Amino acid sequence: MSDSSPLPPVRLHTEAELARDALSTPLLSRAARLARWAGPDTRVDAGGGLVDEQLPAAAEALGLSGDDAAADASEAWRVAVDAGLVEVVDEDEGTVTAGEDLALLTGGSPQDVLAVWLSAVETVLADASVPDLDGLVDEEGEVDLSALDWDPAGEAEFLDGVLGNLYLLTAGEDTPGTPVPLPALAASVIVPSDMGEPTNDVLEQVSDAMMRLDDQFRMLEPVGFVAYQPVDEALMADADEEPAAPVDDTDVSRYGMVRLTPLGLYGMRARLLEAGFEVPAVGDLADKGADALLDGTAEFPPAAAQAETEQWLQRRESLAAARELLAAARGSDAGAPLRRLRCQQALSLVGASAEPALREVLDDAELGGLARVWLTEHGAVDVPAPSEAMVYWLTIDTVAAQLAAEGNSEELRGLVEGLARQHGGFFDAVWRVDHPATADVLEAMGRLHSDKKVAKEARKAAFKARSQQGG
């Protein structure tokens, strides 16, 4: 994912909701409990980690048992130190005290809590980029790094790329909250986009990446970053072992399913912003002017654009909002038709109290058509009929906006064919419309219309329009 990639607008939970979620995550809550458990007799090693002798007591304080209890307690302690919940007082003596940020978890603002949680996430992400060191310990108990093929920067970059792609997939409005199959996610960062059928070597790389990601997502789940269904253990059994139950090879969920949680969406957006990406979120434009709203939502999917507009309208009186929207919709630049479409959609959310603003622009060449549509839809009386020139102008403007919003979609193809069918002599009249997009719209109609004869008429009309405009 490059820093020029367009990122979808994400709909975040409120900071208060996210802060409550953060406090309830297993890892941060354990870290906070250990920070409160630590006392004068607590000792840490040179790296700030809890000494081995005290891990059993720490695990007991957390109510942990089993083979992983000490490791889980150690991880929670590292998070407590890195997140500022515990502070090392004397490195030589290994003594500690409660950190300044511990009080923020109970007395701070939601932003304070989320800042602590983000620090915990960074610790886990750093740990997740470290390979499994089991089997690399020599006879003297030291880790043999020479036997380790590990590129720390490359591993961190790989995980960042995976999480960036997961953000794109999770934040998209078409599938909010839908888990992503682990094979598809791994392939998104391994398989070249221009590769048709993956080679065996590439498929092996995808398989290796899945195993790495399985371990990494297991680590990221306790901090609340992802919701993860791990790879089925039966898939990793030796080929000569008999499975305990029948295996359904067509069930993709057995290969792992993952999605960012609401907290994870918030965390990934924060990390992307820090990395210099432009990462829109619904609500960003609520305190800005109508021009920023119409331009900013121009590329938003419909549901996100409506949610953003609703938040913008909630902060304004209906009549004043309508006047501001209409003023911002004017213009003859290339983006103006889409602004007017967004304006029309925004005005559909405004009540009848906005009627005076629409009547004020009935004679406006650019806004009079959409004003008549709004007034008619809201049952207003004494709405003057539009002139033929205004009807054609509005038609060009609408198609230009749809082209900008959707490209050559099937819906637009249907609109184009309907226009040509319903209006006799349409192309003989429309090329004369004084609109900057007339020629472009007619060329698009020539591309989109399925009837070759009609398509040819559209192209001829486009030529006339361009000649008239001096192009």
Side-chain angles (χ1 to χ4, degrees), residues 106-144:
T106 53
S109 67
Q111 295 96 322
D112 293 331
V113 173
L114 290 169
V116 174
W117 176 80
L118 284 170
S119 296
V121 168
E122 292 303 321
T123 298
V124 177
L125 287 171
D127 288 348
S129 297
V130 177
D132 186 359
L133 301 180
D134 291 347
L136 298 176
V137 180
D138 59 24
E139 295 178 354
E140 298 179 0
E142 300 292 331
V143 176
D144 181 12

Side-chain angles (χ1 to χ4, degrees), residues 18-19 21-23 25 114 117 223-225 261-268:
L18 292 169
D21 290 345
L23 290 171
T25 59
L114 290 169
W117 176 80
V223 78
F225 205 77
T261 63
L263 260 181
L265 279 174
Y266 171 86
M268 268 307 299

